[in-house]
Amino acid sequence: MTWPRDDAKIERVRALMLTHELDALVVRAPDNVLYLSNYWGMKGYEVVVFPREGVATLITLEPSQDDAERNAWTEDIRLFAGYDARDPRPPQARALDLAREAAAGYERVGLELSMGTQAADRMVGEPTTYTSAWFDAFPGAADATPLLNEARAIKTEQELERMGIANEIASAAMEYSREHLRPGMKESEAAALWEGYVHGQGTARDDVELARGFSLVWSGPGIRTFTATADRPVQENEPTLFEIWVCADGYWCDYTKNLCPGEPTPDYWQLVDQLLVIYDDAIEHCRPGASLAQLDALIRAGIAEAGYPGQPSHPVAHGVGARAHEPPYAHQAGGGTIEAGMVLAIEPGIYWEGGGGLRLEDNFLITADGAERLGTFPDDFR
């Protein structure tokens, strides 16, 4: 999808580069390539050389030339062959040659030396790996990851518009799933139902070039954190939990929603009420200047008070943007404050011993007045 250059984003990054005394950034992570150039690569071989002053360089595969010229915010696009009969090296080596050439005139260069998690490429969702040759090619480079994390934590108007599209697709797919979910279906069939809508109907939108859905679906006693979707049947009168992500042209949303064919059993009525209180307290906490560490502590204290100390094992709040999980993270060992312009996924969950339980999750834009929900599908599924 062709978007006009996001000057607010570009200016924010360049101001941080000046503060960090960096002349150029050299990035390879697909999410950072997208963030700085608006190009979401096919294979994860792409590179952006982004100067503090002047024109950025996008380096990509020859077959991607049309895509790059249509979407990228720079006219300096340099191409390399995926296969070259005269050069037996893998394609990443040719990309590195072009990156070194484009960065040669800059004295102080920043690389992604500490990556954390990495977003996937557009084609297969399989991040490419870095070899030592990549890092050795830029001796003395600074770690630009903290700078990029700081820049990306505050969303621009265009980024919010793009994330809004992902949220709309996710909510519409849940409406579709609510209409078609039936007891006795396999969890995997329910997941395919939701993912198929995202990919088919999301990609059919006029404002989307490619929409992909990713899901974990569990039903009734199959609801457990950190387990895979299986062929267990969808239960009647017990919730089916959809842990779901939508990526629309590189920008993401991260939800957990629940559907229940039939009437929830009394123990689930109680659990929903407990989680909604914890959830609402967390949302109320999310105002500019509030502590991220205290957000984590608040949610976990509420869960302990409900009778489930030590839960959940997964994070309970994190940033969303050009990755489904990105800084800032709410963690009691960390620091930082919640700021206007951040988008946070808030996700308290309670899981019963032996199986079953619930998680609630939506994405929230932090404004001067508090947290604004981006999704439209309800958290209370009753």
Short mmCIF file of all heavy atoms in Angstrom, two decimals, residues 253-309:
data_model
loop_
_atom_site.label_atom_id
_atom_site.label_comp_id
_atom_site.label_asym_id
_atom_site.label_seq_id
_atom_site.Cartn_x
_atom_site.Cartn_y
_atom_site.Cartn_z
N CYS A 253 -1.92 -5.41 15.05
CA CYS A 253 -2.70 -5.33 16.29
C CYS A 253 -2.56 -6.67 16.99
O CYS A 253 -2.21 -7.68 16.37
CB CYS A 253 -4.17 -4.99 16.02
SG CYS A 253 -5.12 -6.33 15.28
N ASP A 254 -2.84 -6.69 18.29
CA ASP A 254 -2.66 -7.88 19.12
C ASP A 254 -3.86 -7.97 20.06
O ASP A 254 -4.05 -7.09 20.91
CB ASP A 254 -1.35 -7.77 19.90
CG ASP A 254 -1.09 -8.97 20.80
OD1 ASP A 254 -1.85 -9.95 20.74
OD2 ASP A 254 -0.12 -8.93 21.57
N TYR A 255 -4.69 -9.01 19.88
CA TYR A 255 -5.92 -9.16 20.65
C TYR A 255 -5.95 -10.51 21.35
O TYR A 255 -5.32 -11.47 20.90
CB TYR A 255 -7.14 -9.19 19.72
CG TYR A 255 -7.65 -7.89 19.18
CD1 TYR A 255 -8.75 -7.89 18.33
CD2 TYR A 255 -7.07 -6.68 19.50
CE1 TYR A 255 -9.25 -6.72 17.80
CE2 TYR A 255 -7.57 -5.50 18.98
CZ TYR A 255 -8.66 -5.52 18.13
OH TYR A 255 -9.16 -4.36 17.62
N THR A 256 -6.78 -10.61 22.36
CA THR A 256 -7.33 -11.89 22.80
C THR A 256 -8.82 -11.68 22.99
O THR A 256 -9.25 -10.82 23.76
CB THR A 256 -6.71 -12.39 24.11
OG1 THR A 256 -5.29 -12.44 23.97
CG2 THR A 256 -7.23 -13.78 24.44
N LYS A 257 -9.62 -12.48 22.29
CA LYS A 257 -11.07 -12.40 22.37
C LYS A 257 -11.64 -13.79 22.61
O LYS A 257 -11.00 -14.80 22.32
CB LYS A 257 -11.66 -11.81 21.08
CG LYS A 257 -11.14 -10.42 20.75
CD LYS A 257 -11.52 -9.40 21.81
CE LYS A 257 -10.96 -8.02 21.50
NZ LYS A 257 -11.29 -7.03 22.54
N ASN A 258 -12.84 -13.83 23.16
CA ASN A 258 -13.47 -15.09 23.53
C ASN A 258 -14.87 -15.19 22.93
O ASN A 258 -15.60 -14.19 22.87
CB ASN A 258 -13.57 -15.19 25.06
CG ASN A 258 -12.21 -15.05 25.73
OD1 ASN A 258 -11.47 -16.01 25.85
ND2 ASN A 258 -11.87 -13.85 26.19
N LEU A 259 -15.23 -16.38 22.48
CA LEU A 259 -16.57 -16.69 21.99
C LEU A 259 -17.10 -17.87 22.77
O LEU A 259 -16.34 -18.76 23.16
CB LEU A 259 -16.54 -17.02 20.50
CG LEU A 259 -16.03 -15.93 19.54
CD1 LEU A 259 -15.96 -16.47 18.12
CD2 LEU A 259 -16.91 -14.69 19.61
N CYS A 260 -18.40 -17.90 22.95
CA CYS A 260 -19.00 -19.02 23.69
C CYS A 260 -20.29 -19.46 23.02
O CYS A 260 -21.31 -18.77 23.14
CB CYS A 260 -19.26 -18.63 25.14
SG CYS A 260 -19.86 -20.02 26.15
N PRO A 261 -20.27 -20.60 22.31
CA PRO A 261 -21.52 -21.14 21.79
C PRO A 261 -22.35 -21.68 22.95
O PRO A 261 -21.95 -22.62 23.62
CB PRO A 261 -21.07 -22.27 20.87
CG PRO A 261 -19.60 -22.11 20.70
CD PRO A 261 -19.12 -21.42 21.93
N GLY A 262 -23.48 -21.05 23.21
CA GLY A 262 -24.28 -21.47 24.35
C GLY A 262 -24.13 -20.52 25.52
O GLY A 262 -23.65 -19.39 25.39
N GLU A 263 -24.49 -20.97 26.69
CA GLU A 263 -24.47 -20.17 27.91
C GLU A 263 -23.26 -20.55 28.76
O GLU A 263 -23.07 -21.72 29.09
CB GLU A 263 -25.75 -20.43 28.72
CG GLU A 263 -25.89 -19.56 29.96
CD GLU A 263 -26.28 -18.13 29.63
OE1 GLU A 263 -26.60 -17.85 28.45
OE2 GLU A 263 -26.23 -17.29 30.55
N PRO A 264 -22.39 -19.59 29.11
CA PRO A 264 -21.21 -19.93 29.92
C PRO A 264 -21.61 -20.55 31.26
O PRO A 264 -22.63 -20.18 31.86
CB PRO A 264 -20.52 -18.57 30.14
CG PRO A 264 -21.07 -17.67 29.09
CD PRO A 264 -22.46 -18.15 28.80
N THR A 265 -20.81 -21.49 31.72
CA THR A 265 -21.05 -22.12 33.01
C THR A 265 -20.81 -21.10 34.14
O THR A 265 -20.10 -20.11 33.95
CB THR A 265 -20.14 -23.33 33.20
OG1 THR A 265 -18.76 -22.91 33.04
CG2 THR A 265 -20.44 -24.40 32.15
N PRO A 266 -21.39 -21.31 35.33
CA PRO A 266 -21.28 -20.32 36.41
C PRO A 266 -19.84 -19.96 36.78
O PRO A 266 -19.56 -18.81 37.14
CB PRO A 266 -22.01 -21.00 37.57
CG PRO A 266 -23.00 -21.91 36.91
CD PRO A 266 -22.30 -22.42 35.69
N ASP A 267 -18.92 -20.93 36.72
CA ASP A 267 -17.55 -20.61 37.09
C ASP A 267 -16.93 -19.62 36.11
O ASP A 267 -16.10 -18.79 36.49
CB ASP A 267 -16.69 -21.88 37.21
CG ASP A 267 -16.80 -22.80 36.01
OD1 ASP A 267 -17.66 -22.56 35.14
OD2 ASP A 267 -16.04 -23.79 35.94
N TYR A 268 -17.36 -19.67 34.85
CA TYR A 268 -16.86 -18.69 33.88
C TYR A 268 -17.50 -17.32 34.08
O TYR A 268 -16.85 -16.30 33.86
CB TYR A 268 -17.07 -19.20 32.45
CG TYR A 268 -15.91 -20.05 31.97
CD1 TYR A 268 -16.05 -21.42 31.78
CD2 TYR A 268 -14.66 -19.49 31.74
CE1 TYR A 268 -14.99 -22.20 31.36
CE2 TYR A 268 -13.59 -20.25 31.32
CZ TYR A 268 -13.75 -21.61 31.13
OH TYR A 268 -12.68 -22.37 30.73
N TRP A 269 -18.76 -17.28 34.50
CA TRP A 269 -19.37 -16.00 34.83
C TRP A 269 -18.55 -15.29 35.91
O TRP A 269 -18.25 -14.10 35.81
CB TRP A 269 -20.80 -16.21 35.34
CG TRP A 269 -21.81 -16.36 34.25
CD1 TRP A 269 -22.16 -17.50 33.60
CD2 TRP A 269 -22.60 -15.33 33.67
NE1 TRP A 269 -23.12 -17.25 32.66
CE2 TRP A 269 -23.42 -15.92 32.68
CE3 TRP A 269 -22.72 -13.95 33.90
CZ2 TRP A 269 -24.33 -15.19 31.93
CZ3 TRP A 269 -23.63 -13.22 33.16
CH2 TRP A 269 -24.42 -13.84 32.17
N GLN A 270 -18.17 -16.03 36.93
CA GLN A 270 -17.37 -15.44 38.01
C GLN A 270 -16.01 -14.99 37.51
O GLN A 270 -15.54 -13.89 37.86
CB GLN A 270 -17.22 -16.44 39.15
CG GLN A 270 -16.41 -15.89 40.33
CD GLN A 270 -16.21 -16.92 41.43
OE1 GLN A 270 -16.45 -18.11 41.23
NE2 GLN A 270 -15.78 -16.48 42.60
N LEU A 271 -15.37 -15.82 36.68
CA LEU A 271 -14.04 -15.49 36.18
C LEU A 271 -14.06 -14.24 35.31
O LEU A 271 -13.17 -13.39 35.41
CB LEU A 271 -13.46 -16.67 35.41
CG LEU A 271 -12.00 -16.56 34.98
CD1 LEU A 271 -11.09 -16.40 36.20
CD2 LEU A 271 -11.58 -17.78 34.17
N VAL A 272 -15.07 -14.11 34.46
CA VAL A 272 -15.19 -12.91 33.62
C VAL A 272 -15.33 -11.67 34.50
O VAL A 272 -14.65 -10.65 34.28
CB VAL A 272 -16.39 -13.02 32.66
CG1 VAL A 272 -16.59 -11.70 31.91
CG2 VAL A 272 -16.19 -14.13 31.66
N ASP A 273 -16.19 -11.75 35.51
CA ASP A 273 -16.36 -10.59 36.39
C ASP A 273 -15.06 -10.21 37.09
O ASP A 273 -14.73 -9.02 37.22
CB ASP A 273 -17.44 -10.90 37.44
CG ASP A 273 -18.85 -10.90 36.84
OD1 ASP A 273 -19.05 -10.25 35.81
OD2 ASP A 273 -19.73 -11.57 37.42
N GLN A 274 -14.31 -11.20 37.57
CA GLN A 274 -13.03 -10.92 38.22
C GLN A 274 -12.04 -10.25 37.27
O GLN A 274 -11.39 -9.25 37.62
CB GLN A 274 -12.43 -12.22 38.77
CG GLN A 274 -13.19 -12.81 39.95
CD GLN A 274 -12.66 -14.18 40.33
OE1 GLN A 274 -12.37 -15.02 39.48
NE2 GLN A 274 -12.53 -14.42 41.64
N LEU A 275 -11.94 -10.78 36.06
CA LEU A 275 -10.97 -10.24 35.11
C LEU A 275 -11.36 -8.85 34.63
O LEU A 275 -10.49 -8.00 34.40
CB LEU A 275 -10.84 -11.19 33.91
CG LEU A 275 -9.81 -12.30 34.06
CD1 LEU A 275 -9.89 -13.27 32.88
CD2 LEU A 275 -8.39 -11.74 34.18
N LEU A 276 -12.65 -8.58 34.48
CA LEU A 276 -13.07 -7.26 34.03
C LEU A 276 -12.71 -6.18 35.04
O LEU A 276 -12.34 -5.06 34.66
CB LEU A 276 -14.58 -7.25 33.74
CG LEU A 276 -15.00 -7.94 32.45
CD1 LEU A 276 -16.52 -8.05 32.38
CD2 LEU A 276 -14.47 -7.20 31.22
N VAL A 277 -12.80 -6.49 36.32
CA VAL A 277 -12.39 -5.52 37.36
C VAL A 277 -10.90 -5.24 37.24
O VAL A 277 -10.45 -4.08 37.27
CB VAL A 277 -12.74 -6.05 38.76
CG1 VAL A 277 -12.11 -5.18 39.84
CG2 VAL A 277 -14.26 -6.10 38.94
N ILE A 278 -10.09 -6.30 37.11
CA ILE A 278 -8.64 -6.14 36.98
C ILE A 278 -8.30 -5.35 35.71
O ILE A 278 -7.45 -4.44 35.72
CB ILE A 278 -7.97 -7.53 36.95
CG1 ILE A 278 -8.20 -8.25 38.28
CG2 ILE A 278 -6.49 -7.43 36.64
CD1 ILE A 278 -7.96 -9.74 38.22
N TYR A 279 -8.97 -5.69 34.64
CA TYR A 279 -8.77 -5.05 33.33
C TYR A 279 -9.09 -3.55 33.41
O TYR A 279 -8.30 -2.70 32.97
CB TYR A 279 -9.68 -5.74 32.34
CG TYR A 279 -9.36 -5.58 30.87
CD1 TYR A 279 -8.06 -5.55 30.39
CD2 TYR A 279 -10.40 -5.52 29.95
CE1 TYR A 279 -7.80 -5.45 29.03
CE2 TYR A 279 -10.16 -5.42 28.59
CZ TYR A 279 -8.86 -5.38 28.14
OH TYR A 279 -8.62 -5.29 26.79
N ASP A 280 -10.23 -3.22 33.99
CA ASP A 280 -10.64 -1.82 34.08
C ASP A 280 -9.68 -1.01 34.95
O ASP A 280 -9.37 0.15 34.64
CB ASP A 280 -12.06 -1.72 34.64
CG ASP A 280 -13.12 -2.21 33.65
OD1 ASP A 280 -12.79 -2.32 32.45
OD2 ASP A 280 -14.26 -2.48 34.09
N ASP A 281 -9.18 -1.61 36.03
CA ASP A 281 -8.19 -0.92 36.87
C ASP A 281 -6.91 -0.65 36.09
O ASP A 281 -6.30 0.42 36.22
CB ASP A 281 -7.88 -1.76 38.11
CG ASP A 281 -9.02 -1.77 39.13
OD1 ASP A 281 -9.93 -0.92 39.02
OD2 ASP A 281 -8.99 -2.63 40.04
N ALA A 282 -6.50 -1.62 35.27
CA ALA A 282 -5.28 -1.43 34.47
C ALA A 282 -5.47 -0.33 33.44
O ALA A 282 -4.57 0.51 33.24
CB ALA A 282 -4.93 -2.75 33.78
N ILE A 283 -6.62 -0.31 32.79
CA ILE A 283 -6.90 0.72 31.78
C ILE A 283 -6.90 2.10 32.43
O ILE A 283 -6.36 3.07 31.89
CB ILE A 283 -8.24 0.43 31.08
CG1 ILE A 283 -8.13 -0.88 30.28
CG2 ILE A 283 -8.64 1.58 30.16
CD1 ILE A 283 -9.46 -1.43 29.81
N GLU A 284 -7.49 2.20 33.61
CA GLU A 284 -7.54 3.48 34.31
C GLU A 284 -6.14 3.95 34.69
O GLU A 284 -5.86 5.16 34.73
CB GLU A 284 -8.41 3.33 35.56
CG GLU A 284 -8.53 4.60 36.41
CD GLU A 284 -9.16 5.76 35.66
OE1 GLU A 284 -9.98 5.53 34.74
OE2 GLU A 284 -8.83 6.92 36.01
N HIS A 285 -5.23 3.03 34.97
CA HIS A 285 -3.85 3.38 35.32
C HIS A 285 -3.10 4.00 34.15
O HIS A 285 -2.16 4.79 34.36
CB HIS A 285 -3.11 2.12 35.80
CG HIS A 285 -1.66 2.32 36.08
ND1 HIS A 285 -1.19 2.80 37.29
CD2 HIS A 285 -0.55 2.11 35.31
CE1 HIS A 285 0.13 2.87 37.26
NE2 HIS A 285 0.55 2.45 36.07
N CYS A 286 -3.50 3.66 32.93
CA CYS A 286 -2.72 4.01 31.74
C CYS A 286 -2.96 5.46 31.33
O CYS A 286 -3.75 5.76 30.41
CB CYS A 286 -3.05 3.05 30.60
SG CYS A 286 -2.43 1.40 30.88
N ARG A 287 -2.27 6.35 32.01
CA ARG A 287 -2.30 7.78 31.71
C ARG A 287 -0.88 8.29 31.60
O ARG A 287 0.05 7.71 32.16
CB ARG A 287 -3.05 8.53 32.82
CG ARG A 287 -4.52 8.12 32.94
CD ARG A 287 -5.24 8.83 34.07
NE ARG A 287 -6.65 8.44 34.11
CZ ARG A 287 -7.60 9.01 33.38
NH1 ARG A 287 -7.27 10.02 32.56
NH2 ARG A 287 -8.85 8.61 33.46
N PRO A 288 -0.67 9.38 30.87
CA PRO A 288 0.69 9.91 30.73
C PRO A 288 1.36 10.15 32.08
O PRO A 288 0.76 10.72 32.99
CB PRO A 288 0.48 11.22 29.96
CG PRO A 288 -0.77 11.00 29.17
CD PRO A 288 -1.64 10.16 30.06
N GLY A 289 2.58 9.65 32.21
CA GLY A 289 3.34 9.80 33.43
C GLY A 289 3.24 8.64 34.38
O GLY A 289 4.02 8.54 35.33
N ALA A 290 2.29 7.72 34.14
CA ALA A 290 2.14 6.56 35.02
C ALA A 290 3.28 5.57 34.80
O ALA A 290 3.87 5.49 33.72
CB ALA A 290 0.79 5.88 34.78
N SER A 291 3.58 4.81 35.83
CA SER A 291 4.71 3.88 35.81
C SER A 291 4.35 2.60 35.05
O SER A 291 3.30 1.98 35.30
CB SER A 291 5.11 3.53 37.24
OG SER A 291 5.92 2.38 37.28
N LEU A 292 5.23 2.17 34.15
CA LEU A 292 5.06 0.89 33.47
C LEU A 292 5.25 -0.27 34.45
O LEU A 292 4.51 -1.25 34.40
CB LEU A 292 6.05 0.77 32.32
CG LEU A 292 5.69 1.53 31.04
CD1 LEU A 292 6.91 1.71 30.17
CD2 LEU A 292 4.58 0.82 30.27
N ALA A 293 6.22 -0.16 35.34
CA ALA A 293 6.45 -1.23 36.32
C ALA A 293 5.23 -1.39 37.23
O ALA A 293 4.82 -2.51 37.56
CB ALA A 293 7.69 -0.92 37.15
N GLN A 294 4.62 -0.28 37.63
CA GLN A 294 3.45 -0.36 38.48
C GLN A 294 2.25 -0.94 37.74
O GLN A 294 1.37 -1.56 38.37
CB GLN A 294 3.11 1.03 39.03
CG GLN A 294 4.08 1.51 40.10
CD GLN A 294 3.75 2.90 40.60
OE1 GLN A 294 2.70 3.45 40.28
NE2 GLN A 294 4.67 3.47 41.38
N LEU A 295 2.18 -0.77 36.43
CA LEU A 295 1.10 -1.39 35.65
C LEU A 295 1.18 -2.90 35.77
O LEU A 295 0.16 -3.57 36.01
CB LEU A 295 1.20 -0.95 34.19
CG LEU A 295 0.22 -1.63 33.22
CD1 LEU A 295 -1.23 -1.38 33.63
CD2 LEU A 295 0.47 -1.14 31.78
N ASP A 296 2.36 -3.45 35.62
CA ASP A 296 2.54 -4.89 35.77
C ASP A 296 2.17 -5.33 37.19
O ASP A 296 1.45 -6.30 37.39
CB ASP A 296 4.00 -5.26 35.47
CG ASP A 296 4.25 -6.76 35.56
OD1 ASP A 296 4.58 -7.24 36.67
OD2 ASP A 296 4.12 -7.45 34.54
N ALA A 297 2.66 -4.58 38.19
CA ALA A 297 2.38 -4.94 39.59
C ALA A 297 0.89 -4.85 39.90
O ALA A 297 0.34 -5.70 40.62
CB ALA A 297 3.18 -4.02 40.52
N LEU A 298 0.22 -3.84 39.36
CA LEU A 298 -1.20 -3.65 39.60
C LEU A 298 -2.02 -4.83 39.07
O LEU A 298 -2.90 -5.36 39.76
CB LEU A 298 -1.66 -2.35 38.93
CG LEU A 298 -3.16 -2.03 38.97
CD1 LEU A 298 -3.58 -1.68 40.40
CD2 LEU A 298 -3.49 -0.88 38.02
N ILE A 299 -1.71 -5.24 37.84
CA ILE A 299 -2.46 -6.34 37.24
C ILE A 299 -2.22 -7.63 38.02
O ILE A 299 -3.16 -8.37 38.35
CB ILE A 299 -2.06 -6.51 35.76
CG1 ILE A 299 -2.55 -5.30 34.95
CG2 ILE A 299 -2.61 -7.81 35.19
CD1 ILE A 299 -2.06 -5.27 33.52
N ARG A 300 -0.97 -7.90 38.35
CA ARG A 300 -0.67 -9.16 39.04
C ARG A 300 -1.21 -9.17 40.47
O ARG A 300 -1.62 -10.22 40.97
CB ARG A 300 0.83 -9.42 39.00
CG ARG A 300 1.33 -9.64 37.56
CD ARG A 300 2.79 -10.00 37.48
NE ARG A 300 3.23 -10.04 36.08
CZ ARG A 300 3.03 -11.06 35.25
NH1 ARG A 300 2.41 -12.15 35.70
NH2 ARG A 300 3.44 -11.02 34.00
N ALA A 301 -1.24 -8.01 41.11
CA ALA A 301 -1.83 -7.95 42.46
C ALA A 301 -3.33 -8.22 42.40
O ALA A 301 -3.88 -8.90 43.28
CB ALA A 301 -1.56 -6.57 43.07
N GLY A 302 -4.00 -7.70 41.36
CA GLY A 302 -5.42 -7.95 41.22
C GLY A 302 -5.72 -9.42 40.97
O GLY A 302 -6.70 -9.97 41.50
N ILE A 303 -4.88 -10.06 40.19
CA ILE A 303 -5.05 -11.49 39.91
C ILE A 303 -4.82 -12.30 41.19
O ILE A 303 -5.54 -13.26 41.48
CB ILE A 303 -4.12 -11.93 38.77
CG1 ILE A 303 -4.59 -11.30 37.45
CG2 ILE A 303 -4.06 -13.45 38.66
CD1 ILE A 303 -3.63 -11.48 36.30
N ALA A 304 -3.82 -11.92 41.97
CA ALA A 304 -3.56 -12.61 43.23
C ALA A 304 -4.74 -12.44 44.19
O ALA A 304 -5.15 -13.39 44.88
CB ALA A 304 -2.28 -12.09 43.86
N GLU A 305 -5.30 -11.23 44.24
CA GLU A 305 -6.44 -10.97 45.12
C GLU A 305 -7.65 -11.79 44.71
O GLU A 305 -8.48 -12.18 45.55
CB GLU A 305 -6.78 -9.48 45.10
CG GLU A 305 -7.83 -9.07 46.11
CD GLU A 305 -8.06 -7.57 46.13
OE1 GLU A 305 -7.17 -6.83 45.65
OE2 GLU A 305 -9.13 -7.15 46.60
N ALA A 306 -7.76 -12.08 43.41
CA ALA A 306 -8.87 -12.91 42.92
C ALA A 306 -8.67 -14.39 43.26
O ALA A 306 -9.57 -15.20 43.02
CB ALA A 306 -9.00 -12.75 41.41
N GLY A 307 -7.49 -14.72 43.80
CA GLY A 307 -7.25 -16.09 44.22
C GLY A 307 -6.31 -16.87 43.33
O GLY A 307 -6.22 -18.11 43.44
N TYR A 308 -5.54 -16.15 42.49
CA TYR A 308 -4.65 -16.83 41.56
C TYR A 308 -3.25 -16.21 41.60
O TYR A 308 -2.76 -15.64 40.63
CB TYR A 308 -5.21 -16.75 40.14
CG TYR A 308 -6.58 -17.36 40.00
CD1 TYR A 308 -7.72 -16.57 40.13
CD2 TYR A 308 -6.75 -18.71 39.76
CE1 TYR A 308 -8.99 -17.12 40.02
CE2 TYR A 308 -8.01 -19.28 39.65
CZ TYR A 308 -9.12 -18.48 39.78
OH TYR A 308 -10.38 -19.03 39.66
N PRO A 309 -2.57 -16.29 42.75
CA PRO A 309 -1.24 -15.67 42.86
C PRO A 309 -0.25 -16.33 41.89
O PRO A 309 -0.34 -17.51 41.59
CB PRO A 309 -0.85 -15.94 44.32
CG PRO A 309 -1.66 -17.13 44.72
CD PRO A 309 -2.96 -17.02 43.98
#
